[in-house]
Structures are given as C-alpha cells and as structure tokens.
Amino acid sequence: MNDLRLNGGLLIAVAAMIAAGLLLGEVPLTAAQFAQAFADPGSAPGEVLWQIRCPRSVAAAVVGAALGLAGAVMQGLLRNPLADPGVLGVSGGAGLGAAIAIAAGLGAQSGVIEGAALIAAVLMGLALTALAARFREPETLILFGVAISSFSGALTSLVFNFAPSPVTLAEVFSWLLGSVANRDWGDIGRGLAPMAIGAGLCAYSARGLVMLSLGEESAVMSGLPMARLRGAAVAGASLLTGGAVAMAGIVGFVGLAAPHLVRTRAGADPARVLLPSALTGAVLLMGADLAARLIPTDIELKLGVVTALLGAPLFAMIAWRAARSWRG
C-alpha cells in the first residue's frame, strides 16, 4: 500500500508537470488560444502547444525517467549511494560520439548526432557489461568507469582542440550542456526504443540487486545467475543513459538525486526504489526544464546548467542529512 501511494502520488506529479509544461512558456497563450489549439491542432496556437511545448515536456519526462532509473540501478549494483549514470563513463562516451559527429559536419542531417551518441554509449555499455561479467567487485567496475570517463573526456577535449571553426566549437559545447528545446516527436520516438530495452533489462536485474544488498556471499549462495544479472544491470543502465544523452545531451545530478529523494519512503530494497526513482527523475527534469524556460534571461539557460544549479544544493542537503544520521 505504501508503494502504491508513493507511485500514485509521483504519477500525479508527473501529470501535473506535463500540464504545467503545456500551460507555461516564453510566449503566453490566452484561454481563447488554448481553446483554438485543442479545436484546431494545425492552427498557430496548436503548433505551439502540440509541436513545441508538448514534445519538449514529454522529452524532459522521458529523459528524466531514464536517468532516475539508471541512477537507482547503478546505486544498487555498486552498493554506493554516490553512484550515478555517469560514474561508468557511458555519459562521457555518448558525449564523445556526439562531439565527433558535430565536428565531422554531420549535424545538419536529422538524427545523426543522436545516433552517434547512442552508438558510442552502446559500445561503452558492451565493454562494461563484459567487465561486469568477469569482475564481481563493484570497486573494480567503478575504477574502469572512471578510467573510461576520463579517457572520453580527454578525447572530447581533443575534438574541441581540433574543431574546424568557432561555430563548430560552439555547437559541440552547446550540445554537451544539455537541452530538450526543439525536440520533436521523431526525436522522442528514436530514443524510446533503446530506453525501453534498457528499462526491461533493469527490471530483469532487480532480483540480483536485491541479493547484492544482502552481501556478496548471499548473492553467490542464492543460486541466481549473478553474472548475467550484473551484465543486465550494466547494459540496461547504459542503454538508458545513452538514450537520454542522445535525446538531451549530458544532464547531471538527476540520476544521483532521484533515488535519494525516494529511498526514505520506498525503503532500502533496491527493487522497490526503481519505479519511484524513474518517476522522480521525470518530475525533477521537467521542473528544471520549466525553470530554464521561465527564468528571464536574454539567452535561454541550458538544461544541464539548471540541473547543476538546482541539483548541487539539493544533493548537499541530502548528504548533510545522511551525515547527521550516520553520526547519530
């Protein structure tokens, strides 16, 4: 019953944030224009509502849910509350793939940048899945992830260094800061397939996450195919992260904060944290996107900047509460 209330409340919050995303924007719509948009979707207000605001809100919800779920899986797999989707280097790899595509002049072709980011994320995920199947220690996987992330960052800096023009440099930098502005239904459709596969793999790995929370020895003695479940968890989180980065660029703190915000209500069971974390991630990212839209600036703030500005103090507060509980 507690899970039902928590997930039901979060679903209501998701619906409310989507409604807010339709109602609020840089250009206000009158009640008559909203009525016209519903009556005639092809009208000018209808285009604003259904082709600009609605896809943007849905994209923010999908990306936030993917990052929240990936963060919960990573924290359960690594048994580390500081783990997030970027800890294994998948975000950095996806960013590298997008940066190479932009620097190569392929940005004008629809879906190429997103495809390059997703392919790079999948390749990173495959490498990490193979490592997860071979090494049981979470510390080893974290070290490999840090190495991959650092190497991806170095290669991305190399792309910056050899950018053919300042325009290309600005495009790469802008994409890496993250945004769901100007996303359309095609972008969402292309990202949903890998995210759905990743979510399925994460759901499959939930049994293994539960056993890992009891300790490595309990997991080994459980009779479950732990190597396969670890691989599914890494592959699922990689696909979710890759799909999110492909759709919105690199967005931080959502996967880190979302599981923490629901863990006190959902309990310590990693399987019970998965769905609430996904819903919380959707709410957080839609809220951040609304803030990016409505903060009065000459140039709209990038989504990654807003999540960092909001997420860093939020995570500091979570860390403060955790430190007080540990001290007590």
Side-chain angles (χ1 to χ4, degrees):
M1 184 60 70
N2 186 48
D3 289 349
L4 184 61
R5 289 177 181 174
L6 175 61
N7 293 326
L10 288 171
L11 281 171
I12 293 172
V14 169
M17 293 301 295
I18 290 178
L22 294 178
L23 291 171
L24 304 173
E26 185 178 353
V27 179
L29 297 178
T30 65
Q33 288 174 320
F34 275 109
Q36 183 183 4
F38 279 93
D40 182 12
S43 63
E47 288 290 323
V48 171
L49 197 64
W50 304 117
Q51 301 303 321
I52 298 177
R53 291 187 183 179
C54 191
R56 180 169 181 167
S57 296
V58 172
V62 169
V63 171
L67 293 175
L69 178 56
V73 170
M74 285 293 95
Q75 290 178 15
L77 175 68
L78 302 177
R79 286 160 280 168
N80 188 334
L82 298 179
D84 77 331
V87 74
L88 296 183
V90 179
S91 295
L96 173 62
I100 291 174
I102 295 171
L106 302 176
Q109 303 178 38
S110 177
V112 172
I113 297 175
E114 293 83 355
L118 185 58
I119 289 171
V122 169
L123 291 175
M124 295 292 182
L126 289 174
L128 289 167
T129 302
L131 292 170
R134 181 166 183 177
F135 300 102
R136 296 187 304 179
E137 300 82 3
E139 296 82 6
T140 304
L141 200 57
I142 292 174
L143 290 174
F144 276 117
V146 170
I148 291 174
S149 182
S150 299
F151 188 62
S152 299
L155 292 179
T156 303
S157 299
L158 199 62
V159 172
F160 274 107
N161 211 37
F162 290 103
S165 69
V167 175
T168 301
L169 187 65
E171 287 180 1
V172 174
F173 188 67
S174 177
W175 196 90
L176 291 177
L177 287 178
S179 176
V180 289
N182 302 318
R183 296 299 181 266
D184 57 28
W185 295 113
D187 296 326
I188 296 171
R190 284 190 291 270
L192 278 178
M195 289 182 184
I197 296 172
L201 289 171
C202 290
Y204 169 73
S205 70
R207 296 178 301 159
L209 299 180
V210 173
M211 296 310 303
L212 284 173
S213 67
L214 302 176
E216 190 65 43
E217 291 184 2
S218 298
V220 172
M221 296 175 61
S222 66
L224 294 175
M226 291 306 300
R228 189 186 309 166
L229 293 173
R230 278 194 183 88
V234 173
S238 299
L239 283 171
L240 287 168
T241 305
V245 174
M247 192 181 298
I250 297 178
V251 178
F253 283 103
V254 175
L256 185 64
H260 283 278
L261 290 175
V262 299
R263 192 167 282 123
T264 54
R265 293 289 304 275
D269 186 343
R272 293 174 58 191
V273 173
L274 298 185
L275 179 56
S277 296
L279 296 174
T280 303
V283 173
L284 288 176
L285 202 60
M286 283 191 288
D289 183 55
L290 275 175
R293 286 194 233 178
L294 300 177
I295 292 174
T297 54
D298 294 334
I299 300 175
E300 182 178 300
L301 293 177
K302 290 295 184 179
L303 187 56
V305 175
V306 176
T307 57
L309 289 173
L310 299 177
L314 175 63
F315 187 71
M317 182 180 67
I318 294 170
W320 174 263
R321 289 180 177 176
R324 290 182 63 185
S325 65
W326 293 337
R327 185 178 297 176

